[in-house]
Amino acid sequence: MELRSHRWFLRNGPAGFKSRSRMKNQGTPQQMFDGRPVIGICNTWSELTPCNAHLRILAEQVKRGVLEAGGFPLEFPVMSLGETLMRPTTMMYRNLMSMDVEESIRANPMDGVVLLTGCDKTTPAAIMGACSVDLPTIVVTGGPMLNGKFQGRDIGAGTDKWRFTDDWRAGRMTNDEYIEAETCMSRSDGHCTTMGTASSMSSVVEALGLMLPGGAAIPAVDSRRRRMSHFTGNRIVEMVKEDLRLSQILTRDAFENAIMVNAAIGGSTNVILHILAIAGRIGVEMDLKDFDTLGSHLPLLVNLKPAGEYLMEEFYYAGGLPAVMQNMKDVLHMDAITVMGQSHAENTEGAESFNDDVIGSMDKPFQENAGIVVLYGNLCPDGAVIKPSAAERHLMQHRGQAVVFTSLEDFHARVDDDSLDLNENSVLIMQNVGPKGFPGMPEVGNMSIPKQLLDQGVTDMVRLSDARMSGTAYGAAVLHIAPEAAVGGNFALVQDGDWIELDVENRRLHLEVSDEELAQRREAWQAPDNHSQRGYTRIFLNHVMQADTGVDFDILLGGSGDEVAYKTDGQADVKHTK
Ligand code: FES
């Protein structure tokens, strides 16, 4: 079988000499160039991405598996995206990282790829890039941290930070306690412990069929994650021999499975953007509405924060995603093929929940109708999303008056101002925080409750923005409003005191302002001036698409395959030296 790496390593003459000789400076013996599959291990390790800081350990395990199966493993670094440190937001760099992954794979002699990811955006970025090349590929995520432990109870990364912050702001928690809590929250390698974006993406990757079964939830420091990495190394070599590529696994059925699983696990709203973007790369038609049609009616089958009580550690011990998928087998496409070369039905056969308090069934779920809802109306003609499972139910049918913040800076400057005219029925609006308005669409959609209302005991309010929300966050936040304010969507025209109606049951978000009045306001509207930007920000602003299509760049849709487009040394002298 002719492999792509043969065009580098099995050539006679100076091209082959150059390719092999410099690899030998790492001590590589000649027999590694005998035509065996070359497996790239794409590593997002970085000390600036603490959630991925242990990935070099997993890379070593993958290498062992590849060598054992007769492959030649080669680890390479790509850009990493650390959620907690990068400014303004990792989402701004997701597409950039995907370009790094795509070009690094295509430009180099590899036949299959293992993607090592973990923190929120590293997973979709790596998959998006890999899809545009379409080699045999398996994902290994880094796994969640162990449960945080604080003052005798378990605390979840992200979710409990929001609660602690509310307590700290309201004076219910001292500064010393607040700092102690941050120490106790992160006590091992791994990513966020709640069903936030990292855990949601990891579960979605398993549901897409791109990960070994059961891999999503294994704690980062559990030896079974290393074992899974070893088996991944074994399996990717086989996948190359079978020529089982991403495009054969990522079918419409696979994406439908991912959407349904994300609904049943109470997964992050960020996943919507990532699934749409991945589908766009591999060429599968998916629509924002699919998330509502396929997922909104599904019940919540896991009792994990932010929607429930437990954390990823308990989820793994209770059976993890295979148990959830078995419980959903009547609605999922269980015949969809996976990286194992076999179906979900085969992969999950016999899987069961070992703790019904953590993993429920379709008959005994933790909540009905828990999936993401897609709203339409004159405020969001191209759609907006809300996650009812993370919000107070009474707010799902609501009418209130707008309190408008025109930017993130405006919000921070005035939110705790006691003279702000609002009450618990007010609808908080934050404009210009969408993909173009605040490049990267930051996770600020769960605006903090104004202090004057917090002091009155208000715990949730309706909040509207064109921003995103952290997967670890909660609240009645309507997100991803499209078109966003910065491109002149009606959302840009909302003013203080306007009445707004949110009707989740009827999928409606309506601004009670006449079309004539909106037309007048539009005459006076001015687009924000972003023209002074240079470099990557300029590229981002020129090419980023709206939230309803996944915030990818228009120039990155689809793929270019694994062929190198420009050949500097010809192909005529390809000869096997074996
Ligand atoms: Fe990295 Fe949450 S901050 S996964």
Side-chain angles (χ1 to χ4, degrees):
M1 176 184 185
E2 168 130 37
L3 297 177
R4 151 172 218 278
S5 62
H6 295 178
R7 291 174 224 157
W8 280 262
F9 293 141
L10 291 193
R11 297 181 73 172
N12 282 333
F17 181 103
K18 180 181 73 172
S19 300
R20 293 183 300 270
S21 170
R22 201 48 52 89
M23 293 300 288
K24 289 177 179 175
N25 78 353
Q26 298 175 78
T28 309
Q30 175 63 25
Q31 72 258 28
M32 298 305 279
F33 304 107
D34 61 359
R36 66 186 69 195
V38 176
I39 305 300
I41 302 172
C42 174
N43 202 341
T44 56
W45 168 87
S46 168
E47 288 182 345
L48 290 168
T49 307
C51 308
N52 296 17
H54 62 302
L55 291 184
R56 287 201 294 189
I57 298 168
L58 298 187
E60 288 307 316
Q61 296 294 141
V62 175
K63 284 181 198 172
R64 289 189 202 183
V66 170
L67 286 167
E68 184 183 51
F72 179 9
L74 291 169
E75 183 184 354
F76 63 98
V78 288
M79 184 180 193
S80 192
L81 309 176
E83 202 65 30
T84 52
L85 298 180
M86 283 189 97
R87 306 274 169 82
T89 162
T90 50
M91 187 63 180
M92 177 157 159
Y93 303 106
R94 184 197 66 176
N95 300 347
L96 179 62
M97 183 187 142
S98 79
M99 292 166 82
D100 181 357
V101 171
E102 174 182 346
E103 303 302 336
S104 295
I105 294 174
R106 184 180 301 110
N108 282 295
M110 56 189 93
D111 306 304
V113 188
V114 174
L115 303 171
L116 297 185
T117 69
C119 198
D120 292 12
K121 309 303 179 294
T122 56
T123 300
I127 297 173
M128 288 159 67
C131 280
S132 292
V133 190
D134 193 21
L135 288 180
T137 302
I138 307 182
V139 182
V140 174
T141 52
M145 296 185 288
L146 297 175
N147 290 1
K149 301 280 181 186
F150 177 62
Q151 295 182 341
R153 64 188 176 96
D154 284 1
I155 56 171
T159 303
D160 282 295
K161 183 196 84 176
W162 306 112
R163 291 189 202 283
F164 291 148
T165 302
D166 282 348
D167 286 348
W168 174 71
R169 288 175 68 225
R172 295 188 292 265
M173 190 176 196
T174 68
N175 203 47
D176 284 350
E177 286 174 320
Y178 193 61
I179 289 174
E180 180 63 11
E182 79 186 26
T183 310
C184 296
M185 191 170 276
S186 307
R187 63 188 192 91
S188 81
D189 290 335
H191 59 65
C192 285
T193 49
T194 52
M195 190 51 85
T197 303
S199 299
S200 302
M201 270 314 296
S202 181
S203 304
V204 156
V205 168
E206 190 172 330
L208 283 170
L210 298 184
M211 183 189 288
L212 263 53
I218 308 172
V221 294
D222 192 310
S223 60
R224 286 167 286 187
R225 182 159 291 280
R226 297 193 193 185
R227 198 161 154 264
M228 192 258 292
S229 304
H230 185 113
F231 288 144
T232 298
N234 291 160
R235 178 60 199 149
I236 188 67
V237 175
E238 295 305 315
M239 261 180 97
V240 169
K241 291 176 182 165
E242 294 161 12
D243 200 24
L244 179 55
R245 295 174 184 245
L246 281 171
S247 53
Q248 290 158 270
I249 296 167
L250 292 177
T251 59
R252 166 92 196 177
D253 281 357
F255 284 103
E256 291 192 357
N257 282 341
I259 289 173
M260 290 188 272
V261 163
N262 193 53
I265 60 175
S268 164
T269 45
N270 281 321
V271 166
I272 301 169
L273 304 174
H274 303 323
I275 287 183
L276 289 170
I278 293 167
R281 295 296 185 97
I282 207 73
V284 171
E285 286 282 327
M286 299 301 297
D287 192 81
L288 180 60
K289 231 183 209 156
D290 289 328
F291 289 82
D292 199 327
T293 316
L294 294 163
S296 62
H297 63 286
L298 290 175
L300 185 67
L301 297 187
V302 303
N303 187 9
L304 300 184
K305 292 183 180 189
E309 293 173 53
Y310 295 101
L311 296 167
M312 288 299 285
E313 211 182 318
E314 283 91 17
F315 181 47
Y316 179 58
Y317 304 147
L321 204 70
V324 174
M325 292 188 78
Q326 261 301 311
N327 288 354
M328 298 176 73
K329 67 174 188 250
D330 292 339
V331 295
L332 294 178
H333 305 289
M334 295 300 280
D335 56 346
I337 204 81
T338 71
V339 288
M340 297 300 290
Q342 55 188 31
S343 67
H344 283 300
E346 292 166 291
N347 288 347
T348 62
E349 195 182 348
E352 59 179 304
S353 167
F354 301 115
N355 185 345
D356 294 346
D357 203 26
V358 177
I359 299 177
S361 63
M362 298 292 273
D363 297 334
K364 262 182 91 178
F366 299 103
Q367 213 179 94
E368 298 289 351
N369 305 321
I372 286 156
V373 162
V374 180
L375 304 164
Y376 291 94
N378 65 349
L379 259 187
C380 52
D382 293 337
V385 303
I386 186 167
K387 186 175 165 187
S389 64
E392 290 185 13
R393 283 274 154 164
H394 73 279
L395 293 171
M396 297 301 90
Q397 176 81 48
H398 186 80
R399 188 169 174 270
Q401 284 182 285
V403 176
V404 178
F405 301 95
T406 57
S407 66
L408 183 56
E409 294 76 15
D410 183 30
F411 176 77
H412 286 314
R414 297 193 296 125
V415 63
D416 287 339
D417 185 339
D418 284 343
S419 65
L420 204 59
D421 184 16
L422 44 62
N423 59 48
E424 64 186 284
N425 294 319
S426 298
V427 175
L428 301 184
I429 305 278
M430 198 193 300
Q431 297 163 327
N432 297 308
V433 278
K436 284 181 192 271
F438 190 112
M441 202 184 172
E443 291 182 332
V444 296
N446 59 319
M447 291 162 252
S448 51
I449 310 271
K451 188 160 183 311
Q452 55 171 295
L453 297 180
L454 261 189
D455 292 344
Q456 294 168 28
V458 174
T459 52
D460 199 1
M461 323 175 51
V462 173
R463 301 159 243 188
L464 314 185
S465 76
D466 41 18
R468 295 178 297 121
M469 175 171 87
S470 164
T472 62
Y474 50 86
V478 175
L479 310 158
H480 307 187
I481 286 180
E484 63 175 309
V487 298
N490 279 352
F491 189 55
L493 310 178
V494 185
Q495 295 181 354
D496 278 333
D498 287 347
W499 284 93
I500 290 172
E501 185 200 2
L502 169 66
D503 181 353
V504 169
E505 192 178 339
N506 291 303
R507 309 311 194 234
R508 184 174 137 93
L509 181 63
H510 184 68
L511 176 66
E512 297 179 6
V513 173
S514 68
D515 289 346
E516 296 73 32
E517 169 69 16
L518 285 176
Q520 277 178 21
R521 291 185 191 180
R522 187 171 301 286
E523 290 281 302
W525 177 79
Q526 287 190 325
D529 175 18
N530 277 321
H531 297 294
S532 59
Q533 303 284 0
R534 58 164 293 283
Y536 176 67
T537 310
R538 185 78 256 143
I539 296 171
F540 186 94
L541 290 168
N542 282 349
H543 292 289
V544 75
M545 300 187 295
Q546 291 291 289
D548 59 305
T549 52
V551 197
D552 201 0
F553 291 168
D554 51 5
I555 51 171
L556 292 176
L557 282 172
S560 308
D562 65 85
E563 279 295 318
V564 179
Y566 301 100
K567 297 178 176 62
T568 51
D569 51 2
Q571 290 293 299
D573 62 338
V574 174
K575 289 201 182 79
H576 291 193
T577 57
K578 212 166 22 163

